[in-house]
Every structure is written in structure tokens, then in C-alpha cells.
Amino acid sequence: DETMHGNFGCYNFIRQFLDISMPDARKDKWIDDVYRQTVQLASIGDSVRQVTDRPMFGSNFHFVYDELIALAAHGLPLPSDVTRAHLDSLGRVAHHQWMHPVHPLAGQRLGFGRLLNDVVQTMVQAAELQADASVPRMGAQTAGNLLLAPGGVRAPTADEAPAVPRLALYGCHDVTIGPLALAMGHMDPDWLPYASMLTFELFRDHATPPPQPAQRDLPRPPTVAAPLDTAGRYVRVRLNDKVLELPTCQAHGKHHTRMGPSLCTLDAFLEHVAPIIGTEADYTEECGAMPTTLDIDKK
């Protein structure tokens, strides 16, 4: 049921990350250049060779980059012969190896469709929620979720309607944020900065005239039931301090009339994510059968 990481229970997703070998990686000239320059470093060259010359899961370079960028992020000195430019080149290789499988739609759908659906369902519940002061609303997103109460966790009672939180926080890895940002149109080849944050904001604006011609009858994920009141609702996606303009939201009628493509209509946002999100039955069929023996201990 874990959705905060890639769906590594899906064989047709995970198999793209298995047994990443250095000879295969070095078939790309630019990766070969980074490898040769790195193993020649007096400070870390021998260790890098030992780590990267065996088959790995995901990326041969990620472990090296991860240790070095952690030093830099905490203000500690890098090895004397490792420049910041060299560190960034290691990050670009690691980014390429982790993100290349999720450039295709199938990689986004099988690996991260379930997590994106969690985000969408929170938005949908917010759009559907009707204000009723007579009903106490507790902090569960869906009926049946446990609530954190003074006496510990408990289930909601019959007279407590589950409420949509005004702020939902999801903690995850950079190899989760990166693919989600890519699915939102972020095409930067560099590894995301340490402690990056991807933010989905849902707005309501009934004062500004809606875009004309309004495009309302658009595709939606199969998990979003119709009808849904989307009038006056908009979505903005931010990666750290950068607003991402989703490709689907560029056309007339699909964004806020004053704010422009940086503020998608909710309809256009749902259209953008519709191909990525499937049902559990879809994932079962598309993921294929997991082999009975899958040795990833060495990776």
C-alpha cells in the first residue's frame, strides 16, 4: 500500500532499474567522460571504482553523488580534488539514470500514478466538500482513516464527517519528487537541490470571470467520479520557488484569465494527469507478474 516511493512492487516498472551495469552506462560518451574523470581522482577514485563497477539498482553514480552532496548541503568541505562542477556532473548522470525510465508515460503511470492519485483525491474531496457547521469535521481525508486524538489514534465516529486538510504534507525521497516534477513538465537535467519540495495548490476564485471559451468537458482520471463542481477552481504546481506551467494548461480556456498558464483550471489539471492515473485493476494488468525469484540484494 506504500505510495510515497516508486511502485517497486510493479515488475514492468522495477525491471527498468535492475542490473544497471557500468559497461552499458558508459556506452553514452558523456557518461564515460564523467566516469573516467571520477576514477582518476586521488581522493575517491578507488572507492568510486569499487562502488560503480558492479551491477546496481537504479544508478551506478547515485551513491557517490549522494554522499558528496550531503557534505555540501551540511556545509562540510568536499575532497580537495572534487570541484562543485564535477559534483554537478555526477548529479546529472544519476538524474539521467533514475529519470530516464520515467520520461515515457508508462513509467510515470506504473511508478507514480498511485501517489499522484492520492494528491488528486485530496483535491477532489476539497471540491466536493459542502460547508455544514453542524457536523464536526475531523482530520481524515477519507472515511475509515484513523484520526490522531488526545488518547491516541482512533477511527472517526458516526457523527464525524471526514474533513479535507487545508494542508497535507507528504514526506518522500528525491527519487519520488523528481519523477513527479518531470510529469508536471519540469525538464531540468540536474539533480534536484537538497530538501526540495513539490507543492500542489488548489484555489477557488469566483470573483474573476472564468476563461472563455471555458473548456469543461475534458478527460479525467478514472478514479474521479462525475459530476464534480470544478467552476472557479484552479491548480498551481510549484517546485521549490519555481512555478511550473503544465503543458496541458497553455491553451485558451484552460487557465486563469488574469494569472495565465501558471494557474490551471482544475479541469485542465485533471486532463493533464488523466493518462498517468489508473485504477488498481489497470495496474495489476499493466505491471505484469513479478518473478518468483528476484535477487536485488546486491543492488
Side-chain angles (χ1 to χ4, degrees), residues 137-161:
R137 298 188 181 276
M138 306 295 287
Q141 291 188 47
T142 56
N145 280 3
L146 295 179
L147 305 180
L148 184 59
V153 293
R154 64 172 176 80
T157 62
D159 61 347
E160 292 173 341

Side-chain angles (χ1 to χ4, degrees), residues 64-84:
V64 179
Y65 175 74
D66 217 27
E67 290 199 18
L68 293 174
I69 196 64
L71 291 175
H74 288 85
L76 299 175
L78 296 172
S80 59
D81 52 356
V82 178
T83 65
R84 181 64 201 217

Side-chain angles (χ1 to χ4, degrees), residues 205-216 231-232 234 253 255-257 265:
D205 180 3
H206 289 309
T208 304
Q212 297 296 332
Q215 298 195 36
R216 301 287 298 277
Y234 302 88
H255 53 254
H256 195 276
T257 53
T265 63

Side-chain angles (χ1 to χ4, degrees), residues 109-161:
R109 178 177 171 89
L110 297 183
F112 300 94
R114 295 170 71 216
L115 172 56
L116 193 54
N117 184 57
D118 288 347
V119 176
V120 166
Q121 290 305 315
T122 301
M123 291 184 180
V124 168
Q125 292 166 37
E128 290 177 335
L129 187 63
Q130 299 297 318
D132 184 353
S134 66
V135 179
R137 298 188 181 276
M138 306 295 287
Q141 291 188 47
T142 56
N145 280 3
L146 295 179
L147 305 180
L148 184 59
V153 293
R154 64 172 176 80
T157 62
D159 61 347
E160 292 173 341

Side-chain angles (χ1 to χ4, degrees), residues 10-217:
C10 173
Y11 179 64
N12 283 333
F13 177 68
I14 194 176
R15 66 184 178 87
Q16 301 177 78
F17 298 93
L18 297 174
D19 293 323
I20 306 299
S21 71
M22 185 55 71
D24 285 341
R26 292 177 64 186
K27 290 177 182 178
D28 287 340
K29 176 64 167 61
W30 71 281
I31 295 180
D32 179 64
D33 290 339
V34 174
Y35 173 81
R36 287 186 294 102
Q37 297 305 312
T38 305
V39 297
Q40 291 173 16
L41 296 172
S43 63
I44 63 172
D46 290 342
S47 297
V48 168
R49 192 188 300 273
Q50 293 176 19
V51 170
T52 60
D53 280 5
R54 59 190 178 92
M56 303 288 286
F57 180 86
S59 169
N60 312 81
F61 290 82
H62 190 198
F63 292 108
V64 179
Y65 175 74
D66 217 27
E67 290 199 18
L68 293 174
I69 196 64
L71 291 175
H74 288 85
L76 299 175
L78 296 172
S80 59
D81 52 356
V82 178
T83 65
R84 181 64 201 217
H86 195 144
L87 175 58
D88 290 342
S89 70
L90 290 169
R92 280 190 287 273
V93 178
H95 182 276
H96 172 78
Q97 291 186 308
W98 272 112
M99 301 304 150
H100 181 71
V102 294
H103 273 271
L105 175 59
Q108 298 175 19
R109 178 177 171 89
L110 297 183
F112 300 94
R114 295 170 71 216
L115 172 56
L116 193 54
N117 184 57
D118 288 347
V119 176
V120 166
Q121 290 305 315
T122 301
M123 291 184 180
V124 168
Q125 292 166 37
E128 290 177 335
L129 187 63
Q130 299 297 318
D132 184 353
S134 66
V135 179
R137 298 188 181 276
M138 306 295 287
Q141 291 188 47
T142 56
N145 280 3
L146 295 179
L147 305 180
L148 184 59
V153 293
R154 64 172 176 80
T157 62
D159 61 347
E160 292 173 341
V164 180
R166 296 185 66 85
L167 176 66
L169 296 176
Y170 300 81
C172 61
H173 295 273
D174 41 11
V175 291
T176 300
I177 294 180
L180 284 183
L182 191 152
M184 297 298 113
H186 179 70
M187 305 301 292
D188 194 316
D190 291 319
W191 198 266
L192 292 177
Y194 194 74
S196 286
M197 180 170 62
L198 187 66
T199 307
F200 296 86
E201 299 173 286
L202 178 65
F203 296 90
R204 182 171 59 182
D205 180 3
H206 289 309
T208 304
Q212 297 296 332
Q215 298 195 36
R216 301 287 298 277
D217 189 18

